[in-house]
Amino acid sequence: TQLLEQSPQFLSIQEGENLTVYCNSSSVFSSLQWYRQEPGEGPVLLVTVVTGGEVKKLKRLTFQFGDARKDSSLHITAAQPGDTGLYLCAGTISNFGNEKLTFGTGTRLTIIP
Amino acid sequence: NAGVTQTPKFQVLKTGQSMTLQCAQDMNHNSMYWYRQDPGMGLRLIYYSASEGTTDKGEVPNGYNVSRLNKREFSLRLESAAPSQTSVYFCASSPTTTNGKLFFGSGTQLSVL
């Protein structure tokens, strides 16, 4: 059973459209990260959210952490070909001083020019 | 501005052969990690080193060994490669183990025939 479920698995849209991808879990996270990975490269950290309900913006990307800290979304406005990549969420669970980081399986996004 | 450097970039092994993947970081980070990435499985933690002088098993440690040579370097060894170890391997580092903010290398694509 995957602790972090990402949806959709694949998304292909036209340049200029808006999109939202999701990261869901039944566990409560102390923090959640979003990474983007391009072909042949390692993931690159985009943002960390910590507080329930928190919203962070990075240019055309808007990240939201759910109120209960169990889920998150990434919204991209006016998608561009440079947004193409694998988007990974990763959550940290704290358990009696033990920190465990778990990655989702990712959303593979393709922006068509 | 190197960050995390992994070598080699590509490797082909025959079943039973051994090899060591090298990783070095120049960010003075305390913690280092080895992950494998397989289609549909996401990133899975093999081993990690919370600080110099310590190593711990992750989610999928069988068939691997690690060495934290010093604060900069963390190597991953396959003693007797198996086809199930065909994967893309990523090394990562972070200031601590508790904030989920990882910096990744560009990966090693390993094929075991």
Side-chain angles (χ1 to χ4, degrees):
Chain A
T1 303
Q2 185 65 32
L3 192 62
L4 269 172
E5 299 285 347
Q6 289 190 244
S7 61
Q9 282 189 46
F10 301 93
L11 183 59
S12 183
I13 65 169
Q14 294 290 135
E15 181 177 358
E17 293 184 350
N18 302 332
L19 66 107
T20 302
V21 298
Y22 301 92
C23 175
N24 294 294
S25 175
S26 57
S27 300
V28 176
F29 296 108
S30 56
S31 69
L32 191 137
Q33 288 74 37
W34 283 92
Y35 290 81
R36 179 168 65 212
Q37 184 178 16
E38 299 186 13
E41 297 296 327
V44 175
L45 180 66
L46 296 174
V47 76
T48 295
V49 286
V50 177
T51 307
E54 183 176 0
V55 176
K56 280 192 173 179
K57 293 194 174 184
L58 188 67
K59 297 183 181 178
R60 294 175 293 99
L61 279 59
T62 301
F63 305 85
Q64 184 159 8
F65 202 12
D67 291 341
R69 291 186 288 132
K70 292 183 178 182
D71 54 83
S72 181
S73 63
L74 159 59
H75 181 80
I76 301 179
T77 303
Q80 297 178 3
D83 296 326
T84 292
L86 178 66
Y87 288 81
L88 296 162
C89 64
T92 299
I93 297 174
S94 294
N95 187 14
F96 298 103
N98 255 343
E99 305 277 341
K100 182 180 176 183
L101 179 69
T102 300
F103 280 85
T105 52
T107 293
R108 191 165 296 280
L109 176 64
T110 303
I111 308 301
I112 303 164
Chain B
N1 201 22
V4 179
T5 303
Q6 282 183 243
T7 55
K9 183 78 173 171
F10 300 96
Q11 184 71 51
V12 178
L13 294 177
K14 294 182 180 178
T15 298
Q17 287 185 318
S18 63
M19 79 160 295
T20 300
L21 280 65
Q22 307 287 352
C23 175
Q25 52 94 6
D26 62 2
M27 295 173 283
N28 201 35
H29 286 168
N30 287 314
S31 305
M32 297 185 74
Y33 311 80
W34 277 104
Y35 284 88
R36 59 178 290 174
Q37 186 174 37
D38 303 288
M41 303 289 287
L43 282 159
R44 292 183 292 168
L45 183 64
I46 304 170
Y47 271 93
Y48 69 101
S49 170
S51 60
E52 186 179 356
T54 70
T55 60
D56 284 289
K57 294 178 181 179
E59 185 183 352
V60 288
N62 291 345
Y64 305 95
N65 285 300
V66 290
S67 294
R68 183 75 182 265
L69 304 169
N70 47 55
K71 191 170 186 179
R72 290 187 63 247
E73 298 172 286
F74 189 40
S75 63
L76 177 72
R77 182 159 178 84
L78 287 70
E79 289 291 351
S80 180
S84 60
Q85 293 178 306
T86 293
S87 186
V88 182
Y89 291 84
F90 288 99
C91 176
S93 71
S94 66
T96 74
T97 59
T98 59
N99 64 9
K101 297 178 183 178
L102 271 57
F103 294 79
F104 284 86
S106 57
T108 296
Q109 182 138 8
L110 175 67
S111 296
V112 183
L113 306 177

